[in-house]
Amino acid sequence: MKRYPLFFNRLLFVLVFLATGLVSCIQEPGSAEQVRIYADFYVRYLKPERELKAYAAFLEGSSVENGLSKTFPGGVNFLATAMDPRQLSDATTRYQYAAKANYPEQALFSFLQNDGKQQRFEAALASVDSFRVQAGCSKSAGLNLELFGAPLAADETLLLLFSDSTAHAYTLQQDGPLDNGKLQFTPQQLVHLPTGPLELYLVRKKLIQGLRDNYDFRFAIEYYSDVLTITMGE
């Protein structure tokens, strides 16, 4: 039995030695750090107002922490429309878009690099056609909600946002995948909700992150549904 501590001590020494050697190779004086472009894309759609907003921002550097704001000579387009460049307080340029529109099937950002190559970043998120809450929902019996439209995918999240008469907000969350549109919340999940009339709307969300053509990108989409008034029982 006494052999095992000695064995693991030796193994730990070997692992530490290899890790130290690897770090020293990576941080060797004169080695160049890889420069990337960190791209942040965000799209939000409010169904009741038919309000579509989009934002894009870029940093260039070896990390997000030391990156500098990156712009492009021809600007950035969203759905083939030029976005408005705005400079934020931290000297970052953020491209903005806002319009009254129908929800797009594809959210597409495009721009030309300094070398003339076109870049396109696009993603899709299903809308919330409609939803209903089964009658008789209560903190003691639970809450059943039916979502109509495309089922929730594995990379999607559905937030239930409640607000009471004092505008205090409460949330529930359902992560995908969800084969059908039926969501069930137990009494244990409802303990933080108040009783009485509540306004409820859904936020369908998707977040895509990846690395492509030296772009370390993050693409988030949020869809806000119509508002439904429910009554939460005891």
Side-chain angles (χ1 to χ4, degrees):
M1 295 297 292
K2 293 182 181 179
R3 295 173 54 199
Y4 289 96
L6 179 59
F7 170 76
F8 283 115
N9 285 339
R10 288 178 177 173
L11 178 60
L12 179 60
F13 174 81
V14 172
L15 292 176
V16 171
F17 175 80
L18 290 176
T20 305
L22 180 60
V23 171
S24 64
C25 289
I26 294 174
Q27 296 180 344
E28 197 173 62
S31 62
E33 295 185 21
Q34 184 176 11
V35 174
R36 286 180 175 164
I37 297 177
Y38 298 88
D40 193 11
F41 304 103
Y42 174 71
V43 177
R44 185 187 73 186
Y45 187 75
L46 305 182
K47 184 180 179 182
E49 296 86 358
R50 295 182 61 249
E51 181 182 270
L52 177 62
K53 288 191 174 183
Y55 303 94
F58 307 85
L59 295 174
E60 187 172 29
S62 58
S63 68
V64 174
E65 291 73 21
N66 65 15
L68 299 177
S69 183
K70 170 72 175 175
T71 58
F72 299 94
V76 178
N77 293 332
F78 178 70
L79 300 178
T81 300
M83 302 181 74
D84 182 24
R86 298 286 182 88
Q87 190 168 33
L88 306 182
S89 57
D90 62 353
T92 300
T93 296
R94 183 175 70 182
Y95 295 92
Q96 301 180 174
Y97 170 95
K100 297 288 185 180
N102 294 326
Y103 185 61
E105 293 184 2
Q106 288 282 126
L108 169 63
F109 295 86
S110 61
F111 53 91
L112 291 177
Q113 298 180 153
N114 293 12
D115 60 4
K117 179 182 177 181
Q118 186 181 57
Q119 285 287 351
R120 293 164 57 94
F121 289 87
E122 57 186 319
L125 173 68
S127 63
V128 176
D129 292 346
S130 60
F131 68 99
R132 69 181 177 188
V133 172
Q134 184 176 321
C137 67
S138 67
K139 298 185 66 171
S140 58
L143 181 149
N144 295 324
L145 182 146
E146 189 169 5
L147 179 69
F148 299 99
L152 206 64
D155 60 351
E156 295 177 8
T157 299
L158 191 70
L159 291 181
L160 285 70
L161 274 66
F162 302 83
S163 61
D164 59 19
S165 57
T166 64
H168 194 86
Y170 309 85
T171 62
L172 291 173
Q173 179 172 318
Q174 173 69 54
D175 296 326
L178 190 64
D179 294 335
N180 54 45
K182 296 181 178 179
L183 290 76
Q184 297 181 328
F185 295 94
T186 65
Q188 289 76 19
Q189 294 173 289
L190 306 182
V191 293
H192 65 295
L193 296 181
T195 57
L198 297 171
E199 287 191 340
L200 166 64
Y201 64 93
L202 309 182
V203 183
R204 190 168 189 157
K205 306 173 64 175
K206 174 185 281 191
L207 175 62
I208 303 170
Q209 299 182 89
L211 182 62
R212 193 193 79 191
D213 294 342
N214 206 40
Y215 286 84
D216 191 330
F217 70 92
R218 179 182 181 275
F219 200 134
I221 310 177
E222 296 181 347
Y223 182 100
Y224 290 71
S225 76
D226 287 323
V227 178
L228 182 69
T229 300
I230 67 170
T231 300
M232 180 65 65
E234 296 284 351

